[in-house]
Amino acid sequence: MNASEIIQNEQTLMPRVYAKRPLMLVRGKGALVWDDKDRQYIDCTSSYGVSFLGHCHPAIVEAITRQAERLIACHGSFYNDVRSELVRKIVEVSPKGLDKVFLSNSGAEAVESALKFARRSAGKPEVIAMMGSFHGKTMGALSATWDKKYREPFEPLLPGFRHVPYGNSEKLRQVVTEKTAAVMVEPIQGEGGVRLPPAHYLTELREICADRNVLLIFDEVQTGFGRTGRLFASEHWDVVPDIVCLGKAVAGGLPMGITIAKSEAVSTLKVGEHSSTFGGGPLVCAACKASFDLMTRERLWERAAILGEQFRHGLERLQSSSSIIRDVRGLGLMLGVEFKFDVLRIITECMNEGVLVLDAGRNVVRFLPPVVIASDEIDRTVSVLGAVVEREERARLRSSATE
Ligand SMILES: Cc1ncc(COP(=O)(O)O)c(C=O)c1O
């Protein structure tokens, strides 16, 4: 197939649910990807946070290749050596007390599982989530997600969901009722604009939930697995939730969702009440085990913290000399630059200059680079953004002069 046939196929044979970029990616290595014309890009999207270990990491390729020759599929109703080793490893590295692991196939499925576990163990129907939150697009996860552009076309969603302002623990305290099963929060809001919580917020949520006998669920699908400079972002605030959801980065690029819970949060579940045909299959478990091993052996979250500082300082330098950047924020390798206007053109211009970045909401450029990104690739990214920002400033000056 030639390039236009490939594009044509995707356009005509798939529902148009993705905002497509005019770019066809065909291979990747580390922090770099190449398009069909062999043009190279620095990938500060890591495929929306998935390729945190970099594209085609040799340890992941080797684990997948070896496992593919032994056993690819093994339903959860059979025991499996790789799965068993993996869940042991996950519990070892998880915050203390989180010692039950459910394996699935995506972030949304990890969230769905958490919601079911919470409702089942609490025996109560209500879930409180946050304004600005994003938890996925399946019906349960969507019910917890805030943005009405995702929700409204699919209403009615699940009953029993409410949203309170992110960062306001007093408001949360007021809306918890005797019917509340769980409070769900991203420690740092990702899609909502890379928003960090106020200093004591997560500790206060922990206290409120403990006082009111409500489960605290952290959605770490985006923040988890080292990205923010700790293996779990919750560690920055020393708060342990009752349930944590992981996804995206955990399996070196393969699809995997992980829901880790305290025993009490899953103890009432009965056989058959929850399952997932593909969940915990040996192929993805081998990849996930290799990525956890690599992560812990090389303490890669520390690298994320160090490189994240370099990256953030570079972005802050841009902000200090720019009239169109409103804010720079984030932790580790989860960074956002808020502009005073819609960032679509900035993102497209960066792509044209060989750097792939994401948006987060309308006016934030988001960087989720892989942890293997080199220091000079960060410098290059910052200088490309700097040049794009300068051009945009000049264009805006010109157009306001002619108005
Ligand atoms: C915090 C958070 N939760 C859940 C999800 C949903 O994950 P998935 O797209 O793998 O279903 C995402 C995806 O961006 C996310 O950022």
Side-chain angles (χ1 to χ4, degrees), residues 106-108 111 134-136 186 191 219 221-222 248:
S106 67
V111 168
F134 184 84
H135 298 292
E186 297 156 81
E191 303 287 323
D219 179 346
V221 168
Q222 192 161 147
K248 291 194 188 283

Side-chain angles (χ1 to χ4, degrees), residues 211-251:
D211 281 356
R212 308 290 294 274
N213 197 22
V214 165
L215 292 163
L216 180 60
I217 304 173
F218 278 178
D219 179 346
E220 293 231 28
V221 168
Q222 192 161 147
T223 54
F225 203 64
R227 174 160 295 287
T228 69
R230 297 286 178 90
L231 198 50
F232 295 81
S234 60
E235 294 169 28
H236 288 288
W237 295 276
D238 212 6
V239 174
V240 179
D242 301 294
I243 304 179
V244 60
C245 305
L246 296 177
K248 291 194 188 283
V250 290

Side-chain angles (χ1 to χ4, degrees), residues 114-171:
L115 294 171
K116 282 182 74 179
F117 298 169
R119 276 191 169 174
R120 183 71 176 97
S121 71
K124 301 184 270 187
E126 281 179 10
V127 174
I128 302 172
M130 305 302 151
M131 293 175 181
S133 64
F134 184 84
H135 298 292
K137 292 179 183 171
T138 54
M139 291 303 264
L142 187 58
S143 307
T145 290
W146 164 250
D147 197 331
K148 65 176 190 309
K149 80 169 181 265
Y150 301 134
R151 298 167 56 88
E152 274 180 2
F154 302 99
E155 287 174 346
L157 299 174
L158 296 192
F161 283 74
R162 295 191 60 175
H163 291 86
V164 294
Y166 175 72
N168 184 338
S169 52
E170 262 328 293
K171 188 72 196 162

